[in-house]
Amino acid sequence: MGITTLYTGNPSPREVMTEIERQSLRVVLADVVYPARRWEIIIAADMYGADGQTRQRLRRLPLRDRPFRNLQDIVTALDAVRPAHA
């Protein structure tokens, strides 16, 4: 099954990468109990054995007073801090 079968229409490469990243994060963070603090998310990824790129991405999560509510909350925060060249 090719990547294009995961989508309807004609997705841009950026949309495809976001979905692949989201799927990867879903697997890596499957054992996280929400709500979760930034440090708990990073530790969970380290304990899972996430690759360096995923760990680096999660370390870019912003420090904030409230915990992350769910995976979508994490994805939204990561999209907000994503480097412009990605």
Side-chain angles (χ1 to χ4, degrees):
M1 174 166 85
I3 289 178
T4 54
T5 60
L6 297 173
Y7 303 93
T8 59
N10 197 6
S12 71
R14 179 70 189 101
E15 291 169 327
V16 172
M17 182 54 93
T18 299
E19 183 58 32
I20 290 169
E21 290 171 354
R22 184 174 293 143
Q23 290 174 7
S24 175
L25 286 176
R26 186 176 294 121
V27 171
V28 169
L29 301 178
D31 292 334
V32 171
V33 176
Y34 296 99
R37 297 275 180 199
R38 178 182 180 270
W39 68 267
E40 293 172 304
I41 294 163
I42 293 169
I43 293 295
D46 286 341
M47 290 178 64
Y48 175 84
D51 63 270
Q53 183 179 6
T54 300
R55 289 194 317 264
Q56 182 179 13
R57 183 177 300 121
L58 289 171
R59 286 187 183 103
R60 287 196 307 257
L61 281 169
L63 294 172
R64 59 190 213 181
D65 294 333
R66 66 188 190 287
F68 293 89
R69 298 177 311 252
N70 51 40
L71 181 64
Q72 184 58 48
D73 197 13
I74 293 169
V75 170
T76 300
L78 289 173
D79 282 345
V81 297
R82 182 175 213 80
H85 64 276

